Amino acid sequence: MRNLKLFRILEFGDIQAPGKPQCFSLRTEQGTVIIGSEHGLMEVDPVTREVKNEIPLVAEGFLPDDGSGCIVGIQDLLDQESVCVATASGDVILCNLSTHQLECVGSVASGISVMSWSPDQELVLLVTGQQTLVMMTKDFEPIMEQKIHQDDFGESKFITVGWGRKETQFHGSEGRQAAFQMQMHESALPWDDHKPQVTWRGDGQFFAVSVVCPETGARKVRVWNREFALQSTSEPVAGLGPALAWKPSGSLIASTQDKPNQQDVVFFEKNGLLHGHFTLPFLKDEVKVNDLLWNADSTVLAVWLEDLQREENSTLKTYVQLWTVGNYHWYLKQSLPFSACGKSKIVSLMWDPVTPYRLHVLCQGWHYLCYDWHWTTDRSSGENSSDMANVAVIDGNRVLVTVFRQSIVPPPMCTYRLLLPHPANQVMFFSHPKKSNDLAILDASNQVSVYKCDDSPSVDPTVRLGAVGGNGFKVSLRTPHLEKRYKIQFENSEDQEVNPLKLSLLTWIQEDIFLAVSHSGSSSQSVIHHLTMTPSETDDEQGQLNISSSVTVDGVIISLCCNSKTKSVALQLAGGQILKYLWESPSLAVAPWKNPDGVPVRFPYPCTQTELAVIGGEECVLGLTDRCRFFINDNEVASNITSFAVYDEFLLLTTHSHTCQCFCLTDASFKTLQAGLSSSHMSNGETLRKVERGSRIVTVVPQDTKLVLQVPRGNLEVVCHRALVLAQIRKWLDKLMFKEAFECMRKLRINLNLIHDHNPKVFLENVEAFIRQIDSVNHINLFFTELKEEDVTKTMYPPPVTSAVQLPRDPEGRKVDLICDAMRAAMENLNPHKYCLSILTSHVKKTTPELEIVLQKVHELQGNASPVPDAVSAEEALKYLLLLVDVNDLYDHSLGTYDFDLVLMVAEKSQKDPKEYLPFLNTLKKMETNYQRFTIDKYLKRYEKAIGHLSKCGPEYFPECLNLIKDKNLYNEALKLYPPKSQQYKDISIAYGEHLMQERLYEPAGLVFARCGAHEKALDAFLACGSWQQALCVAAQLHLSRDQLAGFGRSLAGKLVEQRKHRDAATVLEQYAQDYEEAVLLLLEGAAWEEALRLVYKYNRLDIIETNIKPSVLEAQKNYMAFLDSQTATFIRHKKRLLVVRELKEQAQQVHLDDDVSRGQESDLFSETSSVMSGSDMSGKYSHSNSRISARSSKNRRKAERKKHSLKEGSPLEDLALLEALNEVVQGTEKLKDEIHQILKVLFLFEFDEKGRELQKAFEDTLQLMERSLPEIWTLTHQQNSAAPVLGPNSTANSIMASYQQQKTSVPVLDAELFIPPKMNQKTQWKLNLLE
């Protein structure tokens, strides 16, 4: 849905040369034009407007003096730096333009009618006057000569076996004799010049020749290959014209055909068969087609036509029409009318071989024109809901308008057509934001037709409905009406006769003012004209557009864009400079467009599409080149953009990677846009979406969510870009337009939680408005069912710009409950009967479903017999409820209400068999109330409630209750149901205590036994757990004898010794067994020296000091010395081995890195999978053993866990095992400080000073050794390496996987605490200063 818009006009109209031009050729590298006349050659530069070379051919005798000579072809030869010229007399001349040297490389006595070079300039084909074809190499060596007329069809002759022959076909009313009619050959057209025409395929492998057959007098097209072998001959076509053009892409050969009532452009396939056509907009015998020309990329077909003399003294014209195809429909995009006589008559025209949309025209009066076109989409630019998202497509005398807000009509159909008296060349919409549906059309006769969309009741005959009307359907569409046609009045009519496209870049900028640009034919200047509408005296007459003012600009203006909001107008010059046109100022000045830094903006390359947009508060110029480079001001943002559009605060772009990106321009910057477009993956899912390959933006429907794209084959794709959708939803929610937002979200599957999460406070304050707008029970229920605690503005739909003001959020876990409660209150206030089902849904959807309340409401509906409008029956409510809740759950909850009527109502709606539930319900009804409820609760596995009801049934049911308590472990709940002094309480407590004993929880069991008075059981429990104080208390309550108490004390002391509680055991022996001597021995065994001395002096047994205490102290000192020596030796040995292991690992790692560097050049040859496998191979033997470990029993698994860190030299985790061992040594030594301090005091007391100093010195040396070694063992480097990050901006997939594999093999995550050095408390006072 694009039009061809004039990009630039280059005109050279005052070439001083003798004679008349006959043909021309391009020198693309030099940018010059070589023109041939009857006198010779002339090379001109249209940019500088000067003549470069003049080479006369008359003086050398190649052309006659009388001016009757004719040049039939000119070709610039790039590799030979020469120009090849063929004359009608038969000479082929090479002309060196640098030295002006002429060389006749060949001559044909019969003359030459056509010279045609292959596209690769390797072959040249000559058509001689004797109707022969001569093929030569680029060095003009003859290859072959053949007759142009051949009797054979060619190598591609069709093979038929009789199927589908004409004789076997049904011919309808013509009868069977039609099958045997002879083919009548029509002669060539009356205006046919009978000259051969030659055209090459784009790849140079084939060429086609159109000639008039001497036998039949009709034209035929023959296809030859590069080896000069005839391939095929066209089927007989009546009225075939001489024009011939092979599509560069190679699919079709274009020609013309006169039919009885029309003239068509027809297409042949390579095999000579017809394949499609389109009709020219002229009557029969009105025009003749001089030539057909395809542009370089096969997208535009130029048709050169000329009026035939029908009446005397009639003004004849020549037309150049540009046709394009889309969806199998041919559009006439441009029509250029020239005069057919005088200096304006076209001599020749050709497409530029390098620039696809550049057309070169040479007129008879030595007037050269060069037109540059580019594709553009003409769409309305309004941004409010009144804009209908119109897109206009030019198709000759018709403008096809599609209203995308109303309906998506695929081309070539449209919403309505505007019929014009002349072919349209340009369409423009009014730039006023509120009147953006109005449009103006500039046609080939320089008339401007103005159409306005207002409430005009009259039916305009020039407006015809398209795909949306007809057949009696009522069309709810406001179509425009023709206000008036205006004729543009030019100051100089002479220039207008030569250049039909005098004005370009027409822009409707104000109600009665147009802007237009014209280019000077004699200098590199452009003029901006203000065209003012001048109404006629009567409404029926044609109006005029007068040039009210003009501004001259130095440079060639190639684009003009206007911002409908700011009224700014930006001009782009051919050199890339951007100018700001101050059209509203009285002086009509032009100033450079400056960026925010004050530097004039200049595009590095000419941009074919320019727009104005406000980015980050600054108005910027956006440009897109034909090479897909996208600029914002003079910054190149991306180089893969195929189309873009600015809508409201959004910039939408399509890329070569088949994505459509949408950026919010409100708080954007160049860097953020550049980063967003350069990154292949966007973190925000709103910004990017995939589109079909080759899609381009057509338009965006304002205040809607539709983005219209067109794919290369021509059809339309309508997508709702997530960014546009969410932005529009947020606008609707801010305006409290809940209905529009809900409908959009429901249709496009946007999570409905956004309605609340966008602004929770506002939503909860306007819940009633939400319900009124939705006004549908089903939609409200849908909203309830999608509710969840997640805040979708933080997860699924984060806002594009994080606002500084954070909206208050509900406490975690309360969102759904708050919404349900608020909406239920609002619905009950509005109409509880109408919204009954929604109210039930609000109960069910709460965090803890309130099914009992729901069932109670349903039960109330059943009991409410009075008819209420909009009321819902209990049956309907229950049926709906079964959709939300599982029927079995609902049955269970109804049973839990103990209401059998409700149970029966639910059961009837379920799939349960009445034979199952009716006997059960009948049995329940016969029971006593409490036992009935106990049975129901037990069935529903609500055991706490069950024992509550059973406890009320009487003492006879207590055994059953006790069994249930034991089975379900409900002791704590059961104890609350009985008074503490009752027998039931004691029985439950005893059962509870026995349960705790089985669980080896002896102390809690003893407390439970003691509380209920079961002292014997309590004594056993306290004895088992070693709680000697509680055990002695219970023993006192049992009133034991002295001997029994002593025996119990000795037994208790034995238990305490087993638990290494020597002090407690000594206390029991001394106080309850009166055995202080055994108590002293236990204290000495537990190293409680001072307590042992206390007992010795208490009982005045000083002899024990010499017999037991001193020997024990000396023995303990000796053991401590041996232990310290062992710890020191172990520490030193492990430390040395750890340093060795680390050094070996560093060497191995360096070797591995060297191997990676050596393989670095080949790294791109391997996939990521191979890299992952290589990492797995490194740890293969260890992971295999671990997998075997996982399958073992728990006992073996614990054993394997102990062996995981092996101190065996060479084991894979030896360094971790050494760290673990060193940690244990340090911590074990640190724990000795208190014991060493105690024994040092006793050694000093007993005058063993040397022994004390020896022990103190040894312990101090050991501690100092360990303190010095800690930084060396637990180094900071190894701690960092162990927790080195594996992610980051510079990481790759291979590096991440290698890091994970290294961590997996070297440092398991669970062993990270081994890298934390043990703490040594230096503040602990263990030394005895008296020994120093």
Side-chain angles (χ1 to χ4, degrees), residues 158-197:
F158 303 112
I159 299 174
T160 176
V161 293
W163 299 334
R165 289 186 303 170
K166 191 170 184 180
E167 292 84 354
T168 65
Q169 302 302 307
F170 175 69
H171 296 277
S173 61
E174 294 182 359
R176 194 169 187 274
Q177 63 272 13
F180 303 99
Q181 290 180 357
M182 297 298 293
Q183 177 69 39
M184 299 299 293
H185 295 282
E186 295 188 13
S187 60
L189 297 172
W191 48 266
D192 195 336
D193 56 6
H194 288 244
K195 290 182 180 180
Q197 298 288 334

Side-chain angles (χ1 to χ4, degrees), residues 327-456:
N327 261 16
Y328 302 98
H329 176 79
W330 284 89
Y331 298 86
L332 174 56
K333 291 297 184 183
Q334 291 285 317
S335 182
L336 285 65
F338 290 84
S339 177
C341 57
K343 66 177 184 179
S344 299
K345 182 179 180 181
I346 296 177
V347 173
S348 180
L349 73 156
M350 66 185 301
W351 287 102
D352 194 281
V354 177
T355 307
Y357 301 106
R358 178 174 294 171
L359 181 67
H360 304 271
V361 181
L362 180 63
C363 297
Q364 193 166 339
W366 291 95
H367 203 102
Y368 166 80
L369 294 167
C370 177
Y371 297 99
D372 280 354
W373 277 278
H374 68 88
W375 291 111
T376 183
T377 302
D378 293 311
R379 50 179 171 250
S380 56
S381 58
E383 294 182 354
N384 54 20
S385 57
S386 63
D387 183 88
M388 303 302 291
N390 303 289
V391 175
V393 179
I394 294 174
D395 186 15
N397 292 38
R398 308 179 306 167
V399 174
L400 313 178
V401 182
T402 303
V403 181
F404 283 105
R405 181 179 292 279
Q406 194 81 9
S407 59
I408 308 299
V409 180
M413 296 183 290
C414 60
T415 306
Y416 55 84
R417 301 183 297 272
L418 306 179
L419 306 182
L420 304 170
H422 304 282
N425 281 340
Q426 188 178 346
V427 179
M428 67 231 72
F429 286 91
F430 193 13
S431 60
H432 194 283
K434 296 183 179 179
K435 299 181 180 180
S436 57
N437 297 315
D438 299 346
L439 74 157
I441 304 164
L442 173 65
D443 59 27
S445 65
N446 288 310
Q447 282 190 128
V448 176
S449 303
V450 176
Y451 286 84
K452 292 194 173 181
C453 286
D454 51 25
D455 299 326
S456 176

Side-chain angles (χ1 to χ4, degrees), residues 1142 1270-1283 1315:
R1142 285 179 176 174
L1270 285 182
E1272 189 177 357
I1273 297 171
W1274 285 276
T1275 59
L1276 185 61
T1277 304
H1278 286 82
Q1279 293 179 46
Q1280 291 176 346
N1281 289 343
S1282 66
F1315 291 93

Side-chain angles (χ1 to χ4, degrees), residues 947 965 969-977 985 988 992 1008:
I947 61 173
I965 292 170
N969 196 12
L970 300 173
Y971 299 102
N972 288 326
E973 293 78 5
L975 289 173
K976 300 174 184 176
L977 301 175
Y985 186 91
I988 295 173
Y992 189 18
V1008 171

